[in-house]
């Protein structure tokens, strides 16, 4: 078994510095070497560290594609991939890898830690070991190994900011990869994707500004799919529709998803062609908007792309 490890940074490989925790080259590499020497891991592991290692708060869509390209470039030299990553934007990267790699035939296991490997009581060693084992036995697709659980890469979210068990993912019957005849790479071009959360008394000027300045928008609406139906919000969403700016709505509730049409208070979105994100995570909705804008030109095709279930990003109740 040949495993490619793409080390991007994150707490797992950090040390304490005067400014706080910061990535340090060699931390993850040493831990992997020790596991191999001790016989805990029976695989050959080659490590590709991204330059520079980053706190994942600094990650951008360019980094998602750098990681994906690294995996594509490795070609047949590896059987599986482990990505070590900061937890803050790990869910975005997992979603992006799902959509970036059509025809993926290998497992990609993304992991990280809440405490650095260099600190006592760290969860890093366990996550790293579990990720390497999952890579050796896993099925094709993008998975997140964390706190003893293997989670669906297209449905995962960071749900806790300090507990070791920091990630959740809803179930899905579809594997987390894009089906395609041959393997490839979907690249991204720079896109302005805005995220607007509705609130009681929401400032519609901000939504209007986003509509005028963004290429696509994620609308975080209430509960099962409602938003304030004010003349200003209606005008902003109408302008988006007239200007062919795609908008996808996802619920502010972490569980249960949404269904536009349940309430009359969702009409303002339906009438303005807002795509129903159902129970897609906000992370996936944001990432998917980047791919949608980069891969497709026409407004109608973009809306169809956003609505379709590509990599199991929709839960059981919503997948058809
Ligand atoms: N700020 C860190 C990061 O995302 C947090 C972590 O890795 O847990 O890189």
């Amino acid at each position: 078994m040949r495993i490619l490890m793409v080390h991007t940074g994150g707490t797992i490989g950090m040390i304490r510095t005067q400014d706080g925790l910061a990535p340090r080259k060699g931390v993850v590499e040493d831990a992997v070497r020790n596991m191999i020497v001790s016989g805990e891991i029976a695989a050959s592991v080659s490590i590709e560290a991204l330059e520079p290692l980053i706190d994942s708060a600094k990650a951008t869509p360019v980094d998602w594609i750098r990681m994906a390209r690294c995996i594509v470039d490795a070609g047949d030299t590896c059987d599986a991939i482990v990505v070590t990553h900061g937890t803050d934007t790990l869910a975005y990267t997992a979603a992006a890898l799902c959509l970036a790699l059509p025809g993926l035939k290998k497992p990609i296991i993304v992991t990280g830690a809440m405490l650095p490997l260099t600190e006592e009581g760290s969860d890093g060693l366990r996550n790293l070991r579990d990720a390497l084992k999952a890579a050796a036995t896993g099925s094709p697709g993008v998975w997140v190994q964390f706190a003893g659980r293997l989670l669906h890469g297209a449905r995962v979210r960071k749900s806790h900011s300090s507990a070791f068990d920091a990630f959740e993912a809803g179930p899905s019957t579809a594997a987390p990869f894009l089906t395609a005849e041959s393997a490839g790479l979907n690249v991204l071009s720079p896109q302005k994707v805005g995220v607007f959360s509705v609130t009681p008394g929401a400032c519609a000027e901000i939504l209007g500004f986003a509509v005028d300045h963004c290429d696509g928008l994620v609308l975080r609406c209430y509960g099962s799919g409602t938003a304030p139906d004010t003349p200003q919000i209606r005008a902003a969403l109408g302008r988006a529709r007239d200007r062919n700016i795609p908008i996808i709505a996802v619920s502010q509730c972490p569980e249960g998803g949404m269904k536009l049409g349940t309430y009359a208070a969702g009409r303002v979105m339906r009438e303005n062609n807002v795509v129903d994100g159902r129970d897609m995570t906000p992370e996936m909705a944001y990432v998917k908007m980047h791919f949608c804008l980069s891969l497709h030109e026409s407004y109608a095709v973009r809306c169809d792309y956003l609505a379709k279930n590509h990599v199991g990003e929709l839960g059981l109740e919503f997948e058809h």
Side-chain angles (χ1 to χ4, degrees):
M1 168 62 56
R2 300 156 309 162
I3 298 174
L4 167 69
M5 178 173 282
V6 181
H7 177 38
T8 67
T11 297
I12 191 164
M14 289 191 183
I15 57 157
R16 271 186 202 279
T17 71
Q18 274 180 339
D19 293 336
L21 294 171
R24 168 63 64 89
K25 203 166 173 6
V27 172
V28 166
E29 290 86 335
D30 287 351
V32 172
R33 200 169 307 118
N34 290 341
M35 281 183 208
I36 292 172
V37 170
S38 69
E40 248 185 303
I41 295 295
S44 78
V45 183
S46 61
I47 304 181
E48 190 90 39
L50 289 199
E51 249 327 303
L53 294 173
I54 53 168
D55 184 305
S56 78
K58 289 189 184 160
T60 68
V62 171
D63 295 305
W64 304 337
I65 300 305
R66 277 172 77 201
M67 293 174 220
R69 203 180 285 283
C70 209
I71 292 165
V72 168
D73 288 350
D76 288 337
T77 61
C78 69
D79 308 305
I81 297 100
V82 169
V83 177
T84 41
H85 199 286
T87 62
D88 288 340
T89 66
L90 187 152
Y92 293 88
T93 293
L97 292 176
C98 287
L99 293 174
L101 296 165
L104 178 69
K105 300 273 183 309
K106 304 168 190 178
I108 299 178
I109 314 294
V110 190
T111 195
M114 300 302 282
L115 278 181
L117 281 161
T118 47
E119 300 217 345
E120 198 154 325
S122 167
D123 53 333
L125 219 47
R126 174 195 189 188
N127 289 345
L128 201 54
R129 186 188 306 116
D130 288 353
L132 288 163
K133 287 187 175 163
T137 55
S139 45
V142 181
W143 307 92
V144 172
Q145 178 70 49
F146 222 90
R149 293 189 295 155
L150 190 65
L151 303 165
H152 195 283
R155 309 252 312 136
V156 73
R157 312 177 71 168
K158 185 173 180 181
S159 55
H160 204 292
S161 62
S162 59
F164 282 172
D165 199 359
F167 288 86
E168 292 298 334
S172 171
T173 51
F177 68 88
L178 275 179
T179 314
E181 280 190 5
S182 53
L185 175 64
N186 286 334
V187 292
L188 293 173
S189 48
Q191 305 293 343
K192 285 183 255 169
V193 177
V195 180
F196 183 81
S197 242
V198 299
T199 50
C203 177
E205 282 95 333
I206 296 177
L207 179 60
F209 184 88
V211 166
D212 290 338
H213 292 85
C214 291
D215 304 310
L217 274 180
V218 176
L219 190 66
R220 301 205 58 192
C221 61
Y222 298 131
S224 51
T226 62
D229 191 349
T230 64
Q232 294 82 0
I233 298 264
R234 189 165 272 279
L237 294 181
R239 206 156 68 247
R241 185 203 52 215
D242 295 344
R243 294 190 52 226
N244 291 347
I245 305 294
I247 302 185
I248 185 166
V250 286
S251 177
Q252 292 175 15
C253 292
E255 308 271 336
M258 57 175 266
K259 196 170 182 189
L260 283 182
T262 308
Y263 286 93
R267 220 177 69 198
V268 64
M269 291 184 279
R270 282 201 319 278
E271 286 177 356
N272 288 297
N273 227 8
V274 171
V275 175
D276 188 342
R278 289 153 285 174
D279 69 341
M280 202 182 299
T281 65
E283 291 86 344
M284 172 52 93
Y286 176 80
V287 168
K288 195 170 178 181
M289 184 62 82
H290 273 277
F291 279 93
C292 161
L293 296 168
S294 299
L295 300 177
H296 301 290
E297 288 292 328
S298 110
Y299 176 64
V301 174
R302 284 175 167 177
C303 291
D304 283 351
Y305 177 90
L306 291 170
K308 197 177 153 215
N309 189 21
H310 297 268
V311 286
E313 65 269 40
L314 299 178
L316 313 182
E317 203 189 317
F318 296 95
E319 56 191 3
H320 298 297

